[in-house]
Amino acid sequence: MVQAHFRSYLRVPLRWVLAIPLALQVGLVGLGTYGFVQWTEGATQSEILIPWLGLLGLVLSIGLGGWLLIYRWLHRSLNLLTHRITEIQQGHFSQETLHTHFPELDRLAAAITQMSLALQKTFQERETALNLALAAGEMGLWQRDLSTEPEEQHWSPEIYRQLGLDPEGIPRPSRQTFLSCVHPEDRHLLGKINWHQAKGSFPFQQEFRIVRANGEVRWLRSFGQAIGPQGGKVIKVFGINKDITQEKQQEAERQSTLEALQISEARLKALIDSLPFRVWARDPEGRLVIQNPVDIAAFGNCLGTTIEDLNLNAETYQEWKEFLARLQSGETIYRCYSETVNGETKHFFAIAAPVEEPIAGLGVIGISIDITEQVQAEEALQASEAKFRALVENLPFQVWARDCEGRLIFQSKSDQECYGNHLGQRIDEMNLSAEEISRWQETVARIMTGETIRNENITSRNGEEHVLFIGAPITQGKEIIGSLGVTINITEQRQVEANLLQTQTQLSLALQAGKMGVWEADLSSGRMWWSPDQYKILGFGFDASGQVLDSQGQVISPYPTIKLIWDHIHPDIQQDCDDKIQIALQTGQYPDSEYPYIRPDGKLRWIQFKGELILDDSGNPSKIVGVSSDVTERKEKELQLNQLAAIVNSSMDAIISVDLRGVILTWNEGAERTYGYHADEVLGSPLQNILPGTAEHFLASENPYISQHRRKDGRLIDVFITASILHDTKGDPCGTSWIVRDISYQQELERLKSEFVSIVSHELRTPLTAIHGSLTALNTGILGSLQPMGQELLHIAEQNTTRLIRLINDILDLERLDNPELPLDRQPCQCVALIAQACSVVQPLAEQAQVQIQQTLTDCTFWADPDLMLQVLTNLLGNGIKFSPPHSCIHISAQPQEGNLLIAIRDQGPGIPEDKLELIFERFQQVDASDARKKGGTGLGLAICRQIVQQHQGHIWAESRLGEGSVFFVTLPLRDGQDEHSTSP
């Protein structure tokens, strides 16, 4: 209350605290002195009291001043203590001793300091324990201070580890640093939060992804809570980030497992429901838990019922009880039985097996398969076996069978007629030579080992015949019980195959020569057959079984199909392709077609399809047989020709071609604009009639030259002509082509340019030189002195005259360097000597600007014009000095690099924006327009440098970052580019 009451007095400076009582004292003393004088002169009694009042005022003023001074010292001591307590509240601990000039307050300050040190130690211990606990739980602690501008953030080491950042590289983290690590798709989850409304709760709890610098994606769960002064504004936010990547992965795995289980159950149910036979299952307590539709159709829906619920008779009930008991004992039961269903006898095969459940025990599952058709088939098979035997015995080829002991057990009629054998006869009893018997015994022995034999022989028994023998084992289960042999006369087939092979060879050679593939398409099934060349044309591969392979050798189809071609035809053309197929089906004629085709390897090719429809017995199209060829090269040439024609026709230059007789063959739009003649007026006419006196000169030379031609309107124009001879496919000349460019405008510009350069050189530079000399003489004061204002104006005039002369010289230098025939005095130059000379030239400028020049040089010899290269180096060094701050350095380095000399000049200037790094080498261009006024210069220096470097077949460029200076690079060839045989010394 005292502090609040005297707040306004405590703000008074100390000098006023002392001055106010002093002034009061002086006033009262004066009043007392006046009263004393009056009293000595006989003043009244009331006037005698005045000195005593003065004395009293003196005492009061001294007491008041002393009290105010003591109170000010006490207020300062309390402020020191309050400041120290505030530091402790903010976490700033200090061992500094406070001196308040009051013993009690000094002891209180010492106690507060000791308490702060104890709090600091406790805080550090708890912070260490908290960091260890957070690190063990893969959690990081973060803090945001909302009271600072910009907002301060503090991260624990675990936060840096979670984000994959280096704490040394980011000493002051920010919210933007954190958001840059958040996955782009999750940044919207971390929008702005009104922490003032969310104080004292957990308003922020979010899961999101972050992307580390190495590309790894991690999941984080973040909690945040706002705190602040009681009843006041939120000033800080604390939070914890936890890495939950492993939890997310486990959750994804559980979800995947659950989905897989659900899919597996659905598949199992779909499989059981789709089975064509009865399926049922009972749990260990005998309840029916599975019943497929077939079983429901036979017995009705009985799910959940037991045997007791079926109302069976006693005999059937007892059979079921015994049946289930056998199954629950672990036995698997197989059973064939017959039943009468709807008055028809049905045959069934049943299988029942126990199923062990981990908790409940043994259950049972059973199936019943209707084998009525199989039984009937077996009976039919037995009935047809006799028919088959009779059929085989009368086959036109030879068939025999022997048992495991080699006895003949079956023989067709043709085999009996050929060999005269009889049933039961052994091989060694056959009417054959010893060599033939041995060969037959060896053959049968191989068959009895399980080998299948296929031999083709040529015999001369009835003339030269081709005979195919096939031998195979007769098996019963896994046991070989005999051998079977078939002998077929294939003489006629081999002759047909030989003729067919010859025809196919001829056709294949023809197709290969024409780079064509053969194909056949079945319109009803979409299945196709492709020749090997067809696979190659379409970009597919194939294996031995005819399966279609992609470009990586993976099987994509068991056989070729129409869809394989359709899917690779360009999508924009598929509708046109479908329209042509429909027209072909309606008209019976398949049109020749060319389609853009995207091969499996991604390449675009043009494929031509030619085909013919094949009709079935009903007269409807059933197949298409055709050939394909890759016409990409032809299409590309057509495209090139079309593009070339479009370019020629749209060219601004006149492009004209004539044959050997001088007759105009082509006349593009550029020629129409140049000469004023329309193409219809000149095509087919002799060039001599259109441009008299020019055809002979055109045919005489292919070297470019400049001439004058007369337009249709009679006006003469300057033209630049390039002529070339046209050749036919055999290489013989067949005509001439000219490109004619109207250069009248360029010629006029060159004339004006020459006049301008002449004016600048003779009419401006000479008088400006005289004016500059006069101004310089006046500025020295030799001819007399001027007033300060006049001297300043004279100095400005001299500077501007110097700048104008420099501009004129730069313009003349540029014009001189623009001449491609400029003679360069190339000679071997020592790198170190030339750079040292350039540094000595700019050294006075560097000393004036307080800039130091440093050098890192590797001495070598290069070919250049030393005067021009000295101009380049002094220009670049001068620019660096002008734009570098005082007490900075400019560094120049030079070293050989891959046949070139690389020179680099680095300054410490303000830098150049990236969008102006190339623009500064243009004429009259500077980074800032004010640079010409502040630093001087014409904006032509770098343009001159580039012209000189390019004249030396070199390259110049700049690299810079704003605020970090610039580097200018120059590369020059070490050898003389005009003399390939010259060598540097």
Side-chain angles (χ1 to χ4, degrees):
M1 293 180 60
V2 175
Q3 182 177 358
H5 181 71
F6 291 101
R7 187 182 304 273
S8 58
Y9 300 102
L10 296 176
R11 292 175 181 174
V12 178
L14 181 61
R15 58 181 178 272
W16 293 109
V17 172
L18 299 177
I20 291 173
L22 181 61
L24 180 61
Q25 176 183 354
V26 171
L28 292 177
V29 169
L31 180 62
T33 304
Y34 172 78
F36 180 78
V37 172
Q38 293 295 325
W39 176 68
T40 56
E41 293 179 355
T44 62
Q45 187 176 1
S46 60
E47 293 175 342
I48 296 175
L49 295 176
I50 293 176
W52 295 104
L53 293 176
L55 182 61
L56 179 62
L58 176 63
V59 174
L60 292 175
S61 62
I62 292 174
L64 178 62
W67 182 84
L68 288 176
L69 184 61
I70 293 172
Y71 182 76
R72 182 173 177 84
W73 286 345
L74 180 61
H75 180 265
R76 174 182 173 276
S77 300
L78 291 176
N79 281 343
L80 288 176
L81 290 176
T82 303
H83 179 68
R84 174 59 55 86
I85 294 173
T86 303
E87 286 182 341
I88 295 173
Q89 291 175 345
Q90 295 178 352
H92 303 296
F93 304 103
S94 174
Q95 299 183 9
E96 179 184 0
T97 303
L98 296 179
H99 297 285
T100 64
H101 305 290
F102 292 93
E104 290 79 2
L105 293 180
D106 286 343
R107 286 193 294 272
L108 178 59
I112 292 174
T113 301
Q114 292 298 324
M115 180 185 66
S116 68
L117 294 178
L119 288 175
Q120 179 184 13
K121 181 177 179 182
T122 302
F123 176 77
Q124 291 176 347
E125 291 176 353
R126 293 184 178 180
E127 183 179 17
T128 302
L130 176 61
N131 287 335
L132 290 175
L134 292 175
E138 296 185 348
M139 293 185 292
L141 184 64
W142 54 268
Q143 174 184 338
R144 293 172 55 186
D145 192 339
L146 304 181
S147 62
T148 61
E149 184 61 36
E151 176 184 306
E152 292 185 0
Q153 292 203 10
H154 301 281
W155 294 352
S156 69
E158 184 65 20
I159 294 290
Y160 288 95
R161 190 196 66 76
Q162 290 175 351
L163 300 179
L165 300 176
D166 183 11
E168 299 295 334
I170 309 177
R172 296 180 63 85
S174 65
R175 177 173 173 81
Q176 189 59 36
T177 305
F178 179 76
L179 290 178
S180 65
C181 297
V182 178
H183 196 285
E185 296 179 2
D186 293 351
R187 288 177 185 168
H188 68 280
L189 301 176
L190 303 177
K192 292 292 185 180
I193 298 176
N194 190 348
W195 292 107
H196 303 294
Q197 295 181 358
K199 176 185 173 184
S201 62
F202 278 92
F204 180 80
Q205 179 174 343
Q206 190 59 262
E207 295 179 358
F208 53 91
R209 293 167 292 174
I210 56 99
V211 182
R212 292 182 175 176
N214 59 2
E216 182 184 3
V217 177
R218 307 288 294 179
W219 277 91
L220 296 182
R221 180 183 293 123
S222 184
F223 301 92
Q225 183 177 13
I227 63 172
Q230 185 174 1
K233 187 178 180 182
V234 173
I235 59 173
K236 289 187 180 180
V237 180
F238 290 91
I240 295 176
N241 288 356
K242 177 176 176 57
D243 191 321
I244 59 170
T245 304
Q246 187 174 2
E247 296 179 16
K248 286 291 184 178
Q249 292 175 348
Q250 293 175 351
E251 181 181 349
E253 292 175 357
R254 289 194 298 269
Q255 185 65 25
S256 176
T257 303
L258 178 60
E259 292 177 355
L261 180 60
Q262 293 174 347
I263 292 173
S264 176
E265 292 179 352
R267 289 176 177 173
L268 178 61
K269 185 178 185 306
L271 175 62
I272 293 176
D273 290 346
S274 63
L275 290 175
F277 46 81
R278 291 156 47 190
V279 180
W280 55 269
R282 292 184 180 273
D283 62 14
E285 297 180 0
R287 286 188 296 270
L288 191 65
V289 293
I290 294 178
Q291 189 179 25
N292 72 338
V294 178
D295 193 70
I296 293 175
F299 296 100
N301 192 341
C302 301
L303 288 174
T305 62
T306 62
I307 302 299
E308 288 76 6
D309 300 329
L310 296 179
N311 296 323
L312 302 176
N313 57 49
E315 183 179 357
T316 305
Y317 174 78
Q318 187 61 32
E319 290 178 358
W320 266 105
K321 294 293 287 184
E322 294 176 357
F323 177 72
L324 293 177
R326 291 173 58 189
L327 290 173
Q328 291 179 346
S329 66
E331 180 182 355
T332 300
I333 301 175
Y334 303 89
R335 179 187 177 192
C336 291
Y337 62 96
S338 300
E339 289 182 359
T340 301
V341 179
N342 298 326
E344 182 182 357
T345 302
K346 294 285 188 178
H347 301 276
F348 297 93
F349 175 70
I351 302 176
V355 178
E356 184 175 0
E357 297 184 6
I359 300 177
L362 286 177
V364 295
I365 186 170
I367 61 173
S368 296
I369 305 174
D370 188 342
I371 59 173
T372 304
E373 294 183 359
Q374 290 84 335
V375 172
Q376 293 174 350
E378 288 180 1
E379 294 173 351
L381 180 61
Q382 294 174 357
S384 65
E385 184 177 352
K387 298 179 182 179
F388 175 75
R389 179 181 292 272
L391 176 63
V392 171
E393 288 178 351
N394 293 281
L395 287 174
F397 46 83
Q398 303 166 23
V399 181
W400 56 263
R402 295 182 180 273
D403 61 15
C404 58
E405 296 180 358
R407 289 188 295 268
L408 190 65
I409 58 175
F410 177 80
Q411 184 180 32
S412 65
K413 184 181 294 185
S414 58
D415 186 76
Q416 185 179 14
E417 293 175 353
C418 181
Y419 293 101
N421 300 327
H422 55 83
L423 296 179
Q425 187 181 43
R426 296 178 180 274
I427 297 176
D428 55 5
E429 298 174 353
M430 295 172 62
N431 186 19
L432 299 172
S433 63
E435 182 180 355
E436 290 179 323
I437 290 175
S438 176
R439 187 168 61 251
W440 272 107
Q441 288 176 337
E442 180 183 354
T443 299
V444 172
R446 289 171 57 191
I447 294 174
M448 293 300 295
T449 61
E451 180 181 357
T452 298
I453 300 175
R454 183 185 179 92
N455 291 329
E456 183 176 340
N457 300 313
I458 300 177
T459 65
S460 57
R461 179 174 302 171
N462 298 318
E464 185 173 319
E465 296 179 342
H466 290 265
V467 177
L468 174 64
F469 170 76
I470 302 175
I474 302 173
T475 60
Q476 184 175 1
K478 295 183 179 180
E479 183 182 359
I480 299 176
I481 61 174
S483 58
L484 176 68
V486 179
T487 303
I488 307 172
N489 190 328
I490 58 172
T491 303
E492 183 177 353
Q493 178 182 350
R494 286 292 178 258
Q495 291 176 351
V496 173
E497 290 177 354
N499 296 334
L500 181 59
L501 178 61
Q502 182 179 2
T503 303
Q504 289 180 340
T505 302
Q506 295 172 350
L507 177 60
S508 178
L509 291 174
L511 293 174
Q512 289 178 3
K515 295 182 179 179
M516 293 186 293
V518 181
W519 51 271
E520 178 182 322
D522 189 324
L523 297 177
S524 61
S525 65
R527 186 167 181 170
M528 297 186 70
W529 172 86
W530 294 344
S531 67
D533 289 329
Q534 180 71 8
Y535 282 93
K536 183 177 180 181
I537 290 172
L538 298 178
F540 293 103
F542 62 95
D543 56 14
S545 60
Q547 297 185 107
V548 184
L549 311 179
D550 60 12
S551 56
Q552 283 76 36
Q554 301 295 324
V555 176
I556 59 176
S557 177
Y559 47 78
T561 62
I562 296 176
K563 189 175 183 302
L564 282 177
I565 300 179
W566 182 270
D567 290 343
H568 288 80
I569 290 178
H570 197 283
D572 297 340
I573 311 298
Q574 288 182 355
Q575 184 60 43
D576 178 66
C577 178
D578 184 62
D579 294 341
K580 289 186 177 180
I581 293 177
Q582 297 302 323
I583 293 174
L585 296 177
Q586 295 173 5
T587 62
Q589 298 293 329
Y590 186 83
D592 295 347
S593 306
E594 295 177 356
Y595 300 115
Y597 176 86
I598 303 175
R599 290 163 53 104
D601 57 6
K603 294 181 180 179
L604 179 65
R605 309 294 292 179
W606 278 87
I607 309 297
Q608 183 185 60
F609 294 91
K610 295 184 178 181
E612 182 177 349
L613 286 170
I614 297 178
L615 307 179
D616 57 14
D617 296 338
S618 303
N620 298 319
S622 62
K623 294 182 179 180
I624 303 178
V625 179
V627 295
S628 300
S629 57
D630 191 330
V631 295
T632 305
E633 294 181 1
R634 175 171 63 80
K635 280 288 186 181
E636 290 176 349
K637 290 180 180 178
E638 291 177 358
L639 179 61
Q640 292 174 359
L641 291 176
N642 293 335
Q643 291 175 344
L644 181 60
I647 292 172
V648 169
N649 194 45
S650 61
S651 173
M652 297 300 295
D653 297 331
I655 302 178
I656 307 168
S657 63
V658 300
D659 59 14
L660 296 177
R661 299 173 300 166
V663 176
I664 299 175
L665 301 177
T666 62
W667 186 273
N668 72 335
E669 294 179 0
E672 293 178 351
R673 289 188 295 269
T674 301
Y675 293 106
Y677 292 97
H678 196 270
D680 296 339
E681 301 179 66
V682 299
L683 290 178
S685 303
L687 182 63
Q688 183 67 24
N689 297 346
I690 307 302
L691 302 173
T694 58
E696 295 82 359
H697 188 73
F698 280 177
L699 294 170
S701 173
E702 291 185 334
N703 296 325
Y705 64 95
I706 297 175
S707 181
Q708 282 191 333
H709 287 171
R710 189 174 298 278
R711 287 171 45 87
K712 182 180 180 180
D713 56 11
R715 180 166 56 90
L716 284 175
I717 58 175
D718 295 312
V719 294
F720 180 79
I721 304 170
T722 303
S724 59
I725 304 300
L726 300 177
H727 299 84
D728 57 16
T729 55
K730 297 180 180 179
D732 299 329
C734 62
T736 311
S737 174
W738 300 280
I739 300 177
V740 183
R741 176 170 295 177
D742 185 353
I743 59 171
S744 302
Y745 181 71
Q746 288 85 342
Q747 292 290 86
E748 180 65 19
L749 287 180
E750 287 296 327
R751 185 184 65 78
L752 294 175
K753 180 180 176 182
S754 299
E755 291 179 0
F756 173 73
V757 172
S758 177
I759 292 173
V760 169
S761 178
H762 300 288
E763 304 299 331
L764 291 179
R765 184 163 60 174
T766 301
L768 278 175
T769 302
I771 293 172
H772 182 264
S774 300
L775 292 174
T776 302
L778 290 173
N779 203 19
T780 58
I782 297 176
L783 302 178
S785 60
L786 298 175
Q787 294 295 329
M789 180 65 72
Q791 188 68 34
E792 178 66 21
L793 292 175
L794 183 62
H795 179 66
I796 294 173
E798 181 188 6
Q799 285 183 333
N800 284 280
T801 306
T802 302
R803 183 168 176 266
L804 186 57
I805 292 174
R806 189 185 306 117
L807 175 62
I808 293 173
N809 291 335
D810 287 347
I811 292 175
L812 295 177
D813 285 345
L814 274 176
E815 294 304 321
R816 180 174 60 88
L817 292 171
D818 274 342
N819 184 7
E821 298 179 358
L822 173 69
L824 297 179
D825 183 18
R826 298 198 184 201
Q827 54 184 279
C829 299
Q830 294 295 327
C831 172
V832 173
L834 189 62
I835 293 179
Q837 185 179 358
C839 292
S840 65
V841 171
V842 300
Q843 185 60 36
L845 180 63
E847 293 176 355
Q848 182 181 359
Q850 300 181 2
V851 175
Q852 184 180 1
I853 301 177
Q854 299 178 347
Q855 303 179 27
T856 303
L857 308 176
T858 301
D859 197 13
C860 63
T861 303
F862 65 100
W863 287 79
D865 187 322
D867 294 335
L868 294 178
M869 290 312 304
L870 184 63
Q871 182 178 357
V872 172
L873 293 174
T874 54
N875 198 332
L876 295 178
L877 287 171
N879 280 350
I881 292 172
K882 285 193 297 183
F883 291 99
S884 293
H887 309 294
S888 61
C889 294
I890 293 178
H891 185 270
I892 180 171
S893 63
Q895 59 182 355
Q897 189 180 74
E898 299 179 355
N900 295 320
L901 173 64
L902 176 63
I903 301 174
I905 300 175
R906 183 186 302 273
D907 61 45
Q908 297 181 1
I912 303 171
E914 185 176 358
D915 59 341
K916 293 189 177 182
L917 287 175
E918 183 63 26
L919 187 65
I920 58 175
F921 291 98
E922 300 294 333
R923 301 181 182 188
F924 302 106
Q925 295 292 335
Q926 292 183 330
V927 175
D928 190 346
S930 62
D931 290 344
R933 300 187 298 271
K934 297 178 181 178
K935 307 292 184 179
T938 63
L940 294 174
L942 291 178
I944 294 174
C945 291
R946 183 169 67 175
Q947 285 290 98
I948 295 174
V949 172
Q950 290 178 350
Q951 288 280 6
H952 286 77
Q953 289 80 46
H955 183 51
I956 183 172
W957 73 96
E959 296 178 1
S960 178
R961 296 182 65 179
L962 291 177
E964 299 182 7
S966 306
V967 185
F968 285 82
F969 296 94
V970 177
T971 59
L972 297 167
L974 291 175
R975 298 185 60 188
D976 186 3
Q978 297 180 352
D979 184 6
E980 292 297 330
H981 301 287
S982 64
T983 57
S984 58

